[in-house]
Short mmCIF file of all heavy atoms in Angstrom, two decimals:
data_model
loop_
_atom_site.label_atom_id
_atom_site.label_comp_id
_atom_site.label_asym_id
_atom_site.label_seq_id
_atom_site.Cartn_x
_atom_site.Cartn_y
_atom_site.Cartn_z
N THR Z 392 -158.01 46.73 31.16
CA THR Z 392 -157.86 47.67 30.06
C THR Z 392 -158.90 48.78 30.18
O THR Z 392 -160.01 48.56 30.68
CB THR Z 392 -158.01 47.02 28.67
OG1 THR Z 392 -159.38 46.69 28.43
CG2 THR Z 392 -157.14 45.77 28.55
N TYR Z 393 -158.52 49.95 29.69
CA TYR Z 393 -159.42 51.10 29.71
C TYR Z 393 -160.66 50.82 28.86
O TYR Z 393 -161.78 51.19 29.22
CB TYR Z 393 -158.67 52.32 29.17
CG TYR Z 393 -159.40 53.63 29.31
CD1 TYR Z 393 -159.25 54.42 30.44
CD2 TYR Z 393 -160.23 54.11 28.29
CE1 TYR Z 393 -159.91 55.63 30.57
CE2 TYR Z 393 -160.88 55.31 28.41
CZ TYR Z 393 -160.72 56.07 29.55
OH TYR Z 393 -161.39 57.26 29.66
N ILE Z 394 -160.46 50.14 27.72
CA ILE Z 394 -161.58 49.83 26.84
C ILE Z 394 -162.60 48.95 27.54
O ILE Z 394 -163.81 49.20 27.49
CB ILE Z 394 -161.07 49.16 25.54
CG1 ILE Z 394 -160.28 50.18 24.71
CG2 ILE Z 394 -162.22 48.59 24.72
CD1 ILE Z 394 -159.63 49.59 23.48
N ASN Z 395 -162.12 47.90 28.24
CA ASN Z 395 -163.04 47.02 28.96
C ASN Z 395 -163.76 47.75 30.08
O ASN Z 395 -164.94 47.49 30.35
CB ASN Z 395 -162.27 45.83 29.53
CG ASN Z 395 -161.85 44.84 28.47
OD1 ASN Z 395 -162.38 44.86 27.36
ND2 ASN Z 395 -160.89 44.00 28.78
N MET Z 396 -163.06 48.67 30.73
CA MET Z 396 -163.69 49.43 31.80
C MET Z 396 -164.83 50.29 31.26
O MET Z 396 -165.92 50.31 31.83
CB MET Z 396 -162.63 50.30 32.49
CG MET Z 396 -163.15 51.07 33.71
SD MET Z 396 -163.93 52.65 33.29
CE MET Z 396 -162.52 53.57 32.70
N LEU Z 397 -164.59 50.98 30.14
CA LEU Z 397 -165.65 51.82 29.58
C LEU Z 397 -166.84 50.97 29.10
O LEU Z 397 -168.00 51.35 29.30
CB LEU Z 397 -165.11 52.64 28.40
CG LEU Z 397 -164.54 54.02 28.72
CD1 LEU Z 397 -164.25 54.78 27.44
CD2 LEU Z 397 -165.45 54.83 29.61
N GLN Z 398 -166.56 49.83 28.50
CA GLN Z 398 -167.64 48.97 28.03
C GLN Z 398 -168.46 48.44 29.21
O GLN Z 398 -169.69 48.34 29.13
CB GLN Z 398 -167.09 47.82 27.20
CG GLN Z 398 -166.48 48.25 25.88
CD GLN Z 398 -167.46 49.07 25.03
OE1 GLN Z 398 -168.60 48.68 24.84
NE2 GLN Z 398 -167.00 50.21 24.54
N ALA Z 399 -167.79 48.12 30.31
CA ALA Z 399 -168.51 47.67 31.50
C ALA Z 399 -169.37 48.78 32.07
O ALA Z 399 -170.50 48.55 32.52
CB ALA Z 399 -167.51 47.18 32.55
N ALA Z 400 -168.87 50.02 32.04
CA ALA Z 400 -169.66 51.15 32.52
C ALA Z 400 -170.87 51.38 31.64
O ALA Z 400 -171.99 51.60 32.13
CB ALA Z 400 -168.78 52.41 32.57
N ILE Z 401 -170.68 51.32 30.31
CA ILE Z 401 -171.80 51.51 29.38
C ILE Z 401 -172.87 50.43 29.59
O ILE Z 401 -174.07 50.69 29.48
CB ILE Z 401 -171.27 51.49 27.93
CG1 ILE Z 401 -170.43 52.74 27.67
CG2 ILE Z 401 -172.42 51.42 26.92
CD1 ILE Z 401 -169.63 52.67 26.38
N ALA Z 402 -172.42 49.22 29.93
CA ALA Z 402 -173.35 48.11 30.14
C ALA Z 402 -174.07 48.19 31.49
O ALA Z 402 -174.92 47.36 31.79
CB ALA Z 402 -172.62 46.78 30.03
N GLY Z 403 -173.71 49.20 32.30
CA GLY Z 403 -174.39 49.37 33.59
C GLY Z 403 -173.86 48.49 34.69
O GLY Z 403 -174.55 48.25 35.69
N GLN Z 404 -172.62 48.01 34.55
CA GLN Z 404 -172.05 47.10 35.54
C GLN Z 404 -171.42 47.82 36.73
O GLN Z 404 -171.06 47.18 37.72
CB GLN Z 404 -171.03 46.19 34.88
CG GLN Z 404 -171.63 45.27 33.83
CD GLN Z 404 -170.58 44.43 33.14
OE1 GLN Z 404 -169.47 44.27 33.64
NE2 GLN Z 404 -170.92 43.88 31.98
N GLY Z 405 -171.26 49.13 36.64
CA GLY Z 405 -170.67 49.86 37.74
C GLY Z 405 -170.31 51.28 37.34
O GLY Z 405 -170.61 51.72 36.22
N VAL Z 406 -169.68 51.98 38.27
CA VAL Z 406 -169.26 53.37 38.03
C VAL Z 406 -167.80 53.35 37.59
O VAL Z 406 -166.94 52.74 38.24
CB VAL Z 406 -169.41 54.21 39.30
CG1 VAL Z 406 -169.03 55.67 39.02
CG2 VAL Z 406 -170.83 54.13 39.84
N GLY Z 407 -167.52 54.00 36.46
CA GLY Z 407 -166.15 54.05 35.95
C GLY Z 407 -165.51 55.39 36.19
O GLY Z 407 -166.20 56.42 36.31
N LEU Z 408 -164.19 55.39 36.24
CA LEU Z 408 -163.42 56.63 36.33
C LEU Z 408 -162.82 56.86 34.95
O LEU Z 408 -161.89 56.16 34.54
CB LEU Z 408 -162.33 56.51 37.38
CG LEU Z 408 -161.52 57.79 37.67
CD1 LEU Z 408 -162.43 58.90 38.18
CD2 LEU Z 408 -160.40 57.50 38.66
N ALA Z 409 -163.38 57.80 34.23
CA ALA Z 409 -163.00 57.99 32.82
C ALA Z 409 -162.55 59.42 32.59
O ALA Z 409 -162.72 60.30 33.44
CB ALA Z 409 -164.16 57.65 31.90
N GLY Z 410 -161.99 59.65 31.42
CA GLY Z 410 -161.48 60.99 31.13
C GLY Z 410 -161.83 61.46 29.74
O GLY Z 410 -162.01 60.66 28.83
N ASN Z 411 -161.96 62.79 29.62
CA ASN Z 411 -162.08 63.34 28.29
C ASN Z 411 -160.65 63.51 27.75
O ASN Z 411 -159.71 63.63 28.53
CB ASN Z 411 -162.83 64.69 28.32
CG ASN Z 411 -162.09 65.75 29.11
OD1 ASN Z 411 -161.12 65.49 29.80
ND2 ASN Z 411 -162.53 66.96 29.02
N PRO Z 412 -160.46 63.40 26.47
CA PRO Z 412 -161.48 63.41 25.42
C PRO Z 412 -162.05 62.04 25.04
O PRO Z 412 -162.98 61.97 24.26
CB PRO Z 412 -160.71 63.98 24.23
CG PRO Z 412 -159.33 63.42 24.42
CD PRO Z 412 -159.09 63.44 25.91
N LEU Z 413 -161.51 60.95 25.61
CA LEU Z 413 -161.91 59.63 25.15
C LEU Z 413 -163.36 59.30 25.46
O LEU Z 413 -164.02 58.59 24.70
CB LEU Z 413 -160.99 58.57 25.75
CG LEU Z 413 -159.48 58.74 25.51
CD1 LEU Z 413 -158.72 57.51 25.96
CD2 LEU Z 413 -159.19 59.02 24.04
N VAL Z 414 -163.87 59.82 26.55
CA VAL Z 414 -165.24 59.48 26.95
C VAL Z 414 -166.28 60.42 26.34
O VAL Z 414 -167.48 60.18 26.42
CB VAL Z 414 -165.34 59.48 28.49
CG1 VAL Z 414 -165.42 60.91 29.04
CG2 VAL Z 414 -166.55 58.67 28.96
N ASP Z 415 -165.83 61.49 25.69
CA ASP Z 415 -166.74 62.52 25.19
C ASP Z 415 -167.85 62.00 24.28
O ASP Z 415 -169.01 62.43 24.42
CB ASP Z 415 -165.95 63.62 24.48
CG ASP Z 415 -165.13 64.47 25.45
OD1 ASP Z 415 -165.32 64.30 26.67
OD2 ASP Z 415 -164.31 65.27 24.99
N PRO Z 416 -167.59 61.08 23.34
CA PRO Z 416 -168.68 60.61 22.48
C PRO Z 416 -169.82 59.94 23.25
O PRO Z 416 -170.99 60.07 22.89
CB PRO Z 416 -167.99 59.60 21.54
CG PRO Z 416 -166.56 59.99 21.55
CD PRO Z 416 -166.29 60.51 22.93
N TYR Z 417 -169.49 59.26 24.34
CA TYR Z 417 -170.52 58.57 25.12
C TYR Z 417 -171.30 59.53 26.02
O TYR Z 417 -172.46 59.30 26.33
CB TYR Z 417 -169.87 57.46 25.94
CG TYR Z 417 -169.22 56.42 25.04
CD1 TYR Z 417 -167.84 56.42 24.85
CD2 TYR Z 417 -169.99 55.49 24.36
CE1 TYR Z 417 -167.24 55.50 24.01
CE2 TYR Z 417 -169.40 54.57 23.52
CZ TYR Z 417 -168.04 54.58 23.34
OH TYR Z 417 -167.46 53.67 22.50
N LEU Z 418 -170.64 60.61 26.41
CA LEU Z 418 -171.38 61.66 27.13
C LEU Z 418 -172.33 62.38 26.18
O LEU Z 418 -173.45 62.73 26.54
CB LEU Z 418 -170.40 62.66 27.76
CG LEU Z 418 -169.44 62.11 28.81
CD1 LEU Z 418 -168.46 63.19 29.25
CD2 LEU Z 418 -170.19 61.56 30.02
N ALA Z 419 -171.87 62.56 24.94
CA ALA Z 419 -172.68 63.28 23.95
C ALA Z 419 -173.93 62.49 23.55
O ALA Z 419 -175.01 63.07 23.38
CB ALA Z 419 -171.84 63.58 22.71
N ASP Z 420 -173.81 61.16 23.43
CA ASP Z 420 -174.99 60.38 23.00
C ASP Z 420 -175.80 59.82 24.16
O ASP Z 420 -176.79 59.13 23.96
CB ASP Z 420 -174.58 59.26 22.03
CG ASP Z 420 -173.74 58.16 22.70
OD1 ASP Z 420 -173.69 58.08 23.94
OD2 ASP Z 420 -173.12 57.37 21.95
N GLY Z 421 -175.37 60.12 25.39
CA GLY Z 421 -176.15 59.71 26.55
C GLY Z 421 -175.88 58.30 27.04
O GLY Z 421 -176.52 57.84 28.00
N SER Z 422 -174.93 57.59 26.41
CA SER Z 422 -174.59 56.25 26.89
C SER Z 422 -174.01 56.29 28.30
O SER Z 422 -174.18 55.36 29.09
CB SER Z 422 -173.57 55.58 25.95
OG SER Z 422 -174.09 55.47 24.65
N LEU Z 423 -173.32 57.39 28.61
CA LEU Z 423 -172.76 57.60 29.93
C LEU Z 423 -173.09 59.02 30.38
O LEU Z 423 -173.24 59.92 29.55
CB LEU Z 423 -171.24 57.41 29.94
CG LEU Z 423 -170.71 56.00 29.69
CD1 LEU Z 423 -169.19 56.02 29.51
CD2 LEU Z 423 -171.09 55.06 30.84
N ILE Z 424 -173.20 59.21 31.67
CA ILE Z 424 -173.41 60.55 32.23
C ILE Z 424 -172.39 60.78 33.35
O ILE Z 424 -171.93 59.82 34.00
CB ILE Z 424 -174.84 60.73 32.77
CG1 ILE Z 424 -175.16 59.66 33.82
CG2 ILE Z 424 -175.86 60.71 31.64
CD1 ILE Z 424 -176.50 59.84 34.49
N ARG Z 425 -172.02 62.02 33.54
CA ARG Z 425 -171.14 62.36 34.65
C ARG Z 425 -171.90 62.32 35.96
O ARG Z 425 -173.05 62.77 36.05
CB ARG Z 425 -170.54 63.75 34.46
CG ARG Z 425 -169.55 63.84 33.32
CD ARG Z 425 -168.93 65.22 33.21
NE ARG Z 425 -168.18 65.62 34.41
CZ ARG Z 425 -167.24 66.55 34.45
NH1 ARG Z 425 -166.94 67.21 33.34
NH2 ARG Z 425 -166.60 66.83 35.55
N VAL Z 426 -171.25 61.77 36.97
CA VAL Z 426 -171.86 61.78 38.30
C VAL Z 426 -171.74 63.20 38.85
O VAL Z 426 -170.64 63.75 38.93
CB VAL Z 426 -171.16 60.78 39.23
CG1 VAL Z 426 -171.76 60.86 40.64
CG2 VAL Z 426 -171.27 59.36 38.68
#
């Protein structure tokens, strides 16, 4: 699931392939950064 993938990325388990607009809140608060 996309939700599990994002949560795994936030937890530092690996690099995720994500898309805006869904990932935008985590980019804004620094939980995730673009490579």
Side-chain angles (χ1 to χ4, degrees):
T392 73
Y393 188 90
I394 291 175
N395 288 343
M396 185 275 293
L397 270 189
Q398 292 305 311
I401 291 168
Q404 296 177 18
V406 183
L408 185 61
N411 63 350
L413 304 190
V414 77
D415 290 351
Y417 298 102
L418 297 175
D420 67 16
S422 300
L423 292 171
I424 57 175
R425 291 183 61 159
V426 177

